[in-house]
Amino acid sequence: MDGRTVLCGANARLKKYYLNPEFSALPQAVKQELQIMCVLFTADVGGALFLEFDGNGNLLFQVTHEEDDFFFDEIGSGLKIKEIRREKEELFESLELFYRTFYLGEDGNG
């Protein structure tokens, strides 16, 4: 998958949430915040949302939907992502630092 690592995701149609077991060591509060965020996102706009780290440790939002998912709100999806990125900026920066340090072996001084 292009050197990407899925952190977590949710799917509105399946009513499922997924946390990659590789990240089970994250603090419980962080795991709960990610779950709430992903589930609320898909409840609001439909489709599926996955948070992934790229090969450089950047956290990416990947949104998909089925062709016949008429409840998916593409415009709302983009607006919601911007809102979440702004509101949870500190969390995402911390997750990126965590990933770069423990998965990519960077020392944080770069």
Side-chain angles (χ1 to χ4, degrees), residues 9-50:
N11 185 307
R13 182 174 272 185
L14 300 176
K15 297 186 184 326
K16 298 227 180 216
Y17 172 76
Y18 169 79
L19 175 68
N20 186 336
E22 291 183 33
F23 298 99
S24 62
L26 287 171
Q28 189 63 28
V30 171
K31 293 189 285 190
Q32 287 176 337
E33 190 169 354
L34 289 169
Q35 181 176 6
I36 291 167
M37 180 192 68
C38 289
V39 170
L40 287 178
F41 178 92
T42 58
D44 285 349
V45 301
L49 169 69
F50 295 94

Side-chain angles (χ1 to χ4, degrees), residues 55-57 97 99-109:
N56 295 319
L97 179 61
Y99 186 80
R100 288 179 180 130
T101 301
F102 292 103
Y103 287 82
L104 300 180
E106 295 179 9
D107 63 7
N109 295 326

